[in-house]
Amino acid sequence: MKKEDQVKLFDKQAKRYAKRNSQHSFDKTLREQLFQHISGDILEVSVGTGTNFPYYHQADSITAVDFSERMLEYAKLAAEENDLPVELHLGDVEQMDFPRNQFDCVVSTLSLCSYPNPEHVLSQLSKWCKEEGSILLLEHGMSSNALYRWLQNRVNTFVKKRGGCHMNRDIIGLVEAAPMTIDDAEHRKLGTVHLLWCTPNHK
Ligand SMILES: C[S@@+](CC[C@H](N)C(=O)[O-])C[C@H]1O[C@@H](n2cnc3c(N)ncnc32)[C@H](O)[C@@H]1O
């Protein structure tokens, strides 16, 4: 799918994502758990509507990127509501760059499913994170359950076309192959959802 078509798909979904911010959902508990100790200078890629902002009250600065203007409009509102120092960037995470060792904490939630080249993005997340910093991931992908995996493979093309999202990525395989170490991991929902606490590996 062309990038501009992918942007349009996410623009269309922005209102629905924003509505979800105010609802109690399963992923809220996971986000709470993932961000328990988050502080310092934070980079969040593919920020969407700012769903994670309520957990950033200990941040010194927040840099947030998304290629959907509609998503960022809602993210701006969420930053104001939470009274946070957020700098929003409209741009493609796969094309942009930040200096090496820039951020104390680099965050990606539910975004690795969208990129044509998730390997490149993971490598960039590691580069942008300070050596002693942390990379926090909440991602979904291929189930550890064979039956559910079969179903995911069946519906993947349809979901990709409608929502811009790959259902069946091997998230753990991708992160293990990336220049980072998984320090802690939890897996939920038949192994489709992963909470990962990682540190960059700059060697
Ligand atoms: C499934 S939503 C997740 C939003 C948010 N991270 C969350 O946890 O709710 C995926 C987000 O990634 C953004 N996105 C996808 N590919 C991107 C890219 N290459 N560059 C920047 N943003 C991207 C979309 O616009 C959308 O906001």
Side-chain angles (χ1 to χ4, degrees):
M1 185 187 299
K2 283 196 247 150
K3 262 289 153 73
E4 57 266 35
D5 293 334
Q6 219 193 349
V7 173
K8 276 187 207 148
L9 258 183
F10 282 112
D11 273 345
K12 270 196 213 151
Q13 297 176 75
K15 197 172 175 185
R16 184 166 59 81
Y17 273 87
K19 207 167 162 197
R20 200 195 51 181
N21 286 0
S22 58
Q23 292 164 346
H24 191 81
S25 54
F26 164 74
D27 60 278
K28 265 199 172 163
T29 322
L30 301 183
R31 291 175 200 263
E32 239 166 60
Q33 195 185 342
L34 186 68
F35 300 129
Q36 247 172 34
H37 304 294
I38 194 165
S39 62
D41 295 321
I42 298 171
L43 168 68
E44 180 170 351
V45 294
S46 297
V47 65
T49 56
T51 310
N52 296 326
F53 289 172
Y55 310 103
Y56 292 169
H57 41 267
Q58 305 229 52
D60 294 328
S61 75
I62 300 150
T63 306
V65 180
D66 206 287
F67 66 8
S68 155
E69 220 170 332
R70 295 282 92 75
M71 290 279 186
L72 287 184
E73 283 167 11
Y74 288 107
K76 186 169 182 284
L77 293 176
E80 284 162 7
E81 269 165 33
N82 290 282
D83 197 18
L84 289 173
V86 183
E87 204 180 284
L88 296 169
H89 292 263
L90 178 67
D92 181 349
V93 175
E94 293 190 294
Q95 302 295 329
M96 67 195 331
D97 206 1
F98 291 100
R100 185 176 289 278
N101 282 316
Q102 173 95 344
F103 299 98
D104 296 299
C105 198
V106 176
V107 172
S108 159
T109 60
L110 311 180
S111 90
L112 286 179
C113 57
S114 335
Y115 310 119
N117 190 350
E119 293 88 350
H120 171 68
V121 174
L122 281 165
S123 161
Q124 291 289 78
L125 300 189
S126 171
K127 175 185 147 184
W128 299 331
C129 187
K130 287 180 188 168
E131 211 163 320
E132 66 284 9
S134 39
I135 303 164
L136 303 179
L137 308 173
L138 163 61
E139 300 293 347
H140 75 93
M142 177 81 90
S143 174
S144 51
N145 174 286
L147 186 61
Y148 197 69
R149 210 161 48 231
W150 174 84
L151 187 68
Q152 286 178 307
N153 286 330
R154 295 281 297 201
V155 300
N156 190 52
T157 309
F158 174 75
V159 176
K160 212 165 53 184
K161 211 166 159 190
R162 290 294 298 267
C165 160
H166 293 78
M167 296 285 288
N168 57 357
R169 286 208 161 139
D170 173 11
I171 296 298
I172 298 300
L174 282 167
V175 177
E176 278 177 348
M180 59 183 77
T181 304
I182 302 176
D183 299 313
D184 203 0
E186 291 195 20
H187 314 284
R188 306 282 166 79
K189 300 252 173 197
L190 297 176
T192 57
V193 178
H194 311 280
L195 277 171
L196 302 171
W197 290 264
C198 310
T199 39
N201 184 353
H202 287 177
K203 274 167 243 131

Coordinates of all heavy atoms in Angstrom, one line a residue, residues 145-192:
N145 N -0.8 -19.5 19.8 CA -1.8 -20.5 19.6 C -2.0 -20.9 18.2 O -2.3 -20.0 17.3 CB -3.1 -20.1 20.3 CG -4.2 -21.0 20.1 OD1 -4.8 -21.2 19.0 ND2 -4.6 -21.7 21.2
A146 N -1.8 -22.1 17.8 CA -1.8 -22.6 16.4 C -3.1 -22.2 15.7 O -3.1 -21.7 14.5 CB -1.5 -24.0 16.3
L147 N -4.2 -22.5 16.4 CA -5.5 -22.3 15.7 C -5.8 -20.8 15.5 O -6.2 -20.4 14.4 CB -6.6 -22.8 16.6 CG -8.0 -22.8 16.1 CD1 -8.1 -23.7 14.8 CD2 -9.0 -23.3 17.1
Y148 N -5.4 -20.0 16.5 CA -5.6 -18.5 16.4 C -4.7 -18.0 15.3 O -5.0 -17.1 14.5 CB -5.4 -17.8 17.7 CG -6.0 -16.4 17.7 CD1 -7.4 -16.3 17.7 CD2 -5.2 -15.3 17.7 CE1 -7.9 -15.0 17.6 CE2 -5.7 -14.0 17.7 CZ -7.1 -13.9 17.6 OH -7.6 -12.6 17.6
R149 N -3.5 -18.5 15.2 CA -2.5 -18.1 14.2 C -3.0 -18.4 12.8 O -2.9 -17.6 11.9 CB -1.2 -18.9 14.4 CG 0.0 -18.2 14.1 CD 1.3 -18.8 14.7 NE 1.4 -20.2 14.6 CZ 1.7 -21.0 15.6 NH1 1.9 -20.5 16.8 NH2 1.9 -22.3 15.4
W150 N -3.7 -19.5 12.7 CA -4.3 -19.9 11.4 C -5.3 -18.8 11.0 O -5.3 -18.3 9.8 CB -4.9 -21.3 11.5 CG -5.7 -21.7 10.3 CD1 -5.1 -22.2 9.1 CD2 -7.1 -21.5 10.0 NE1 -6.2 -22.5 8.2 CE2 -7.3 -22.0 8.7 CE3 -8.1 -21.0 10.8 CZ2 -8.6 -22.0 8.2 CZ3 -9.4 -21.0 10.2 CH2 -9.6 -21.5 9.0
L151 N -6.1 -18.4 12.0 CA -7.2 -17.4 11.7 C -6.5 -16.1 11.4 O -7.0 -15.4 10.4 CB -8.0 -17.3 13.0 CG -9.3 -16.4 12.9 CD1 -10.3 -17.1 11.9 CD2 -9.9 -16.2 14.3
Q152 N -5.5 -15.7 12.1 CA -4.8 -14.4 11.8 C -4.3 -14.4 10.4 O -4.4 -13.4 9.7 CB -3.6 -14.2 12.8 CG -4.1 -13.9 14.2 CD -2.9 -13.7 15.1 OE1 -2.0 -14.6 15.2 NE2 -2.8 -12.6 15.8
N153 N -3.7 -15.5 10.0 CA -3.1 -15.6 8.6 C -4.3 -15.4 7.6 O -4.1 -14.8 6.5 CB -2.4 -16.9 8.4 CG -1.0 -16.9 9.1 OD1 -0.4 -15.8 9.3 ND2 -0.6 -18.1 9.5
R154 N -5.4 -16.0 7.9 CA -6.6 -16.0 7.0 C -7.1 -14.5 6.8 O -7.5 -14.1 5.7 CB -7.7 -16.8 7.5 CG -7.5 -18.3 7.5 CD -7.6 -18.9 6.2 NE -8.9 -18.8 5.7 CZ -9.4 -19.6 4.7 NH1 -8.7 -20.6 4.2 NH2 -10.6 -19.5 4.3
V155 N -7.2 -13.8 7.9 CA -7.8 -12.4 7.8 C -6.8 -11.3 7.6 O -7.2 -10.1 7.4 CB -8.6 -12.1 9.1 CG1 -9.7 -13.1 9.3 CG2 -7.7 -12.0 10.4
N156 N -5.5 -11.7 7.5 CA -4.5 -10.6 7.5 C -4.6 -9.6 6.3 O -4.6 -8.4 6.5 CB -3.1 -11.3 7.5 CG -2.0 -10.2 7.7 OD1 -2.0 -9.4 8.6 ND2 -1.0 -10.2 6.8
T157 N -4.8 -10.2 5.1 CA -4.9 -9.3 4.0 C -6.1 -8.3 4.1 O -5.9 -7.1 3.8 CB -5.1 -10.2 2.7 OG1 -4.1 -11.2 2.7 CG2 -5.0 -9.4 1.4
F158 N -7.2 -8.8 4.6 CA -8.4 -8.0 4.8 C -8.1 -6.8 5.8 O -8.4 -5.7 5.5 CB -9.6 -8.8 5.2 CG -10.8 -8.1 5.6 CD1 -11.6 -7.5 4.6 CD2 -11.2 -7.9 6.9 CE1 -12.7 -6.8 4.9 CE2 -12.3 -7.2 7.2 CZ -13.1 -6.6 6.2
V159 N -7.5 -7.2 6.9 CA -7.3 -6.2 8.0 C -6.3 -5.2 7.6 O -6.4 -4.0 7.9 CB -6.8 -7.0 9.3 CG1 -6.5 -6.0 10.4 CG2 -7.9 -7.9 9.8
K160 N -5.3 -5.7 6.8 CA -4.2 -4.8 6.3 C -4.8 -3.7 5.4 O -4.5 -2.5 5.5 CB -3.2 -5.6 5.5 CG -1.8 -5.1 5.6 CD -0.8 -6.1 5.1 CE -1.1 -6.6 3.8 NZ -0.2 -7.7 3.3
K161 N -5.8 -4.1 4.6 CA -6.4 -3.2 3.6 C -7.3 -2.2 4.3 O -7.4 -1.1 4.0 CB -7.2 -4.1 2.6 CG -7.3 -3.5 1.3 CD -7.8 -4.5 0.3 CE -8.4 -3.7 -0.9 NZ -9.1 -4.6 -1.8
R162 N -8.1 -2.7 5.3 CA -9.1 -1.9 6.0 C -8.5 -1.0 7.1 O -8.9 0.1 7.3 CB -10.1 -2.8 6.7 CG -11.1 -3.5 5.8 CD -12.0 -2.5 5.0 NE -12.8 -1.8 5.9 CZ -14.1 -2.1 6.3 NH1 -14.6 -3.2 5.7 NH2 -14.8 -1.4 7.1
G163 N -7.5 -1.6 7.8 CA -7.0 -0.8 9.0 C -5.5 -0.4 8.9 O -5.0 0.2 9.8
G164 N -4.8 -0.9 7.9 CA -3.4 -0.5 7.7 C -2.5 -1.3 8.7 O -1.4 -0.9 9.0
C165 N -3.0 -2.5 9.2 CA -2.3 -3.2 10.3 C -2.1 -4.7 9.9 O -3.0 -5.3 9.4 CB -3.2 -3.1 11.5 SG -3.0 -4.2 12.7
H166 N -0.8 -5.1 10.1 CA -0.5 -6.6 9.9 C -0.8 -7.3 11.2 O -0.3 -7.0 12.2 CB 1.0 -6.8 9.6 CG 1.5 -6.2 8.3 ND1 1.7 -4.9 8.2 CD2 1.7 -6.8 7.1 CE1 2.1 -4.6 6.9 NE2 2.1 -5.8 6.3
M167 N -1.7 -8.4 11.1 CA -2.1 -9.1 12.2 C -1.1 -10.1 12.7 O -1.1 -10.6 13.8 CB -3.4 -9.9 11.9 CG -4.6 -9.1 11.6 SD -5.2 -8.4 13.1 CE -5.9 -9.9 13.8
N168 N -0.2 -10.6 11.7 CA 0.6 -11.8 12.0 C 2.1 -11.6 12.0 O 2.8 -12.5 11.5 CB 0.2 -12.8 10.9 CG 0.4 -12.4 9.5 OD1 0.8 -11.2 9.3 ND2 0.2 -13.2 8.5
R169 N 2.5 -10.5 12.5 CA 4.0 -10.3 12.6 C 4.5 -11.0 13.8 O 3.9 -11.1 14.8 CB 4.3 -8.8 12.7 CG 4.1 -8.1 11.4 CD 5.0 -6.9 11.2 NE 5.0 -6.5 9.8 CZ 5.0 -5.3 9.3 NH1 4.9 -4.3 10.2 NH2 5.1 -5.1 8.0
D170 N 5.7 -11.5 13.6 CA 6.4 -12.2 14.7 C 7.1 -11.1 15.5 O 8.3 -10.9 15.3 CB 7.4 -13.2 14.1 CG 8.3 -13.9 15.2 OD1 8.0 -13.7 16.4 OD2 9.3 -14.5 14.8
I171 N 6.4 -10.5 16.5 CA 6.9 -9.4 17.2 C 8.2 -9.8 18.0 O 9.2 -9.1 18.0 CB 5.9 -8.8 18.2 CG1 4.7 -8.3 17.3 CG2 6.4 -7.7 19.1 CD1 5.0 -7.1 16.4
I172 N 8.1 -10.9 18.7 CA 9.3 -11.3 19.5 C 10.5 -11.6 18.6 O 11.6 -11.1 18.9 CB 8.9 -12.6 20.4 CG1 7.8 -12.2 21.4 CG2 10.2 -13.0 21.2 CD1 8.1 -11.1 22.3
G173 N 10.3 -12.2 17.5 CA 11.4 -12.5 16.6 C 12.0 -11.2 16.1 O 13.2 -11.1 16.0
L174 N 11.1 -10.2 15.8 CA 11.6 -8.9 15.3 C 12.5 -8.2 16.3 O 13.5 -7.7 16.0 CB 10.4 -8.0 14.9 CG 9.8 -8.3 13.5 CD1 8.4 -7.6 13.5 CD2 10.7 -7.9 12.4
V175 N 12.0 -8.2 17.6 CA 12.7 -7.5 18.6 C 14.0 -8.2 19.0 O 15.0 -7.6 19.2 CB 11.7 -7.3 19.9 CG1 12.5 -6.6 21.0 CG2 10.5 -6.5 19.5
E176 N 13.9 -9.5 19.0 CA 15.1 -10.3 19.3 C 16.2 -10.0 18.3 O 17.4 -10.1 18.6 CB 14.8 -11.8 19.4 CG 14.3 -12.1 20.8 CD 13.8 -13.6 20.9 OE1 13.8 -14.3 19.9 OE2 13.6 -14.0 22.0
A177 N 15.8 -9.8 17.0 CA 16.8 -9.6 16.0 C 17.3 -8.1 15.9 O 18.2 -7.8 15.2 CB 16.2 -10.0 14.6
A178 N 16.6 -7.3 16.7 CA 17.0 -5.8 16.7 C 18.1 -5.6 17.6 O 18.4 -6.4 18.5 CB 15.7 -5.0 17.1
P179 N 18.8 -4.4 17.5 CA 19.9 -4.1 18.4 C 19.4 -3.6 19.8 O 19.5 -2.5 20.1 CB 20.7 -3.0 17.7 CG 19.7 -2.4 16.7 CD 18.7 -3.4 16.4
M180 N 18.7 -4.5 20.5 CA 18.2 -4.2 21.8 C 18.1 -5.5 22.6 O 18.0 -6.6 22.0 CB 16.9 -3.5 21.8 CG 15.8 -4.1 21.1 SD 14.3 -3.1 21.1 CE 14.7 -1.9 19.8
T181 N 18.1 -5.4 23.9 CA 18.0 -6.6 24.7 C 16.6 -6.6 25.4 O 16.2 -5.5 26.0 CB 19.1 -6.7 25.8 OG1 20.3 -6.6 25.1 CG2 19.0 -7.9 26.7
I182 N 15.9 -7.7 25.4 CA 14.6 -7.7 26.2 C 15.0 -8.1 27.6 O 15.4 -9.2 27.9 CB 13.7 -8.8 25.6 CG1 13.4 -8.5 24.1 CG2 12.4 -8.9 26.4 CD1 12.5 -9.5 23.4
D183 N 14.7 -7.1 28.5 CA 15.0 -7.4 29.9 C 13.8 -8.0 30.7 O 14.0 -8.8 31.6 CB 15.3 -6.0 30.6 CG 16.5 -5.3 30.0 OD1 17.5 -6.0 29.8 OD2 16.4 -4.1 29.7
D184 N 12.6 -7.7 30.2 CA 11.5 -8.3 30.8 C 10.4 -8.4 29.8 O 10.3 -7.5 28.9 CB 11.0 -7.4 32.0 CG 10.2 -8.2 33.0 OD1 10.0 -9.4 32.8 OD2 9.8 -7.6 34.0
A185 N 9.5 -9.4 29.9 CA 8.4 -9.5 28.9 C 7.2 -10.2 29.5 O 7.3 -11.1 30.4 CB 8.9 -10.4 27.7
E186 N 6.1 -9.7 29.1 CA 4.8 -10.4 29.5 C 4.0 -10.6 28.2 O 4.0 -9.7 27.3 CB 4.1 -9.6 30.5 CG 4.8 -9.6 31.9 CD 3.9 -9.1 33.0 OE1 2.7 -9.1 32.9 OE2 4.5 -8.7 34.0
H187 N 3.2 -11.7 28.2 CA 2.5 -12.0 26.9 C 1.0 -12.2 27.3 O 0.8 -12.9 28.3 CB 3.1 -13.2 26.2 CG 4.6 -13.1 26.1 ND1 5.2 -12.3 25.2 CD2 5.5 -13.7 26.9 CE1 6.5 -12.4 25.4 NE2 6.7 -13.3 26.4
R188 N 0.1 -11.7 26.6 CA -1.3 -11.8 26.9 C -2.1 -12.2 25.7 O -1.6 -12.2 24.6 CB -1.9 -10.5 27.4 CG -1.1 -9.9 28.6 CD -1.5 -10.6 29.9 NE -0.6 -10.2 30.9 CZ -0.6 -9.1 31.6 NH1 -1.5 -8.2 31.4 NH2 0.3 -8.8 32.5
K189 N -3.4 -12.5 25.9 CA -4.3 -12.8 24.8 C -3.8 -13.8 23.8 O -3.5 -13.5 22.6 CB -4.7 -11.5 24.1 CG -5.3 -10.4 25.0 CD -6.8 -10.3 24.6 CE -7.4 -9.4 25.6 NZ -8.8 -9.4 25.7
L190 N -3.6 -15.0 24.3 CA -3.1 -16.1 23.5 C -1.8 -15.8 22.8 O -1.5 -16.2 21.6 CB -4.2 -16.5 22.4 CG -5.5 -17.0 22.8 CD1 -6.4 -17.3 21.7 CD2 -5.3 -18.4 23.6
G191 N -1.0 -15.0 23.5 CA 0.3 -14.7 23.0 C 0.3 -13.7 21.8 O 1.3 -13.6 21.1
T192 N -0.8 -13.0 21.7 CA -0.9 -12.0 20.6 C -0.4 -10.6 21.0 O 0.0 -9.8 20.2 CB -2.3 -11.8 20.0 OG1 -3.1 -11.4 21.1 CG2 -2.8 -13.1 19.4

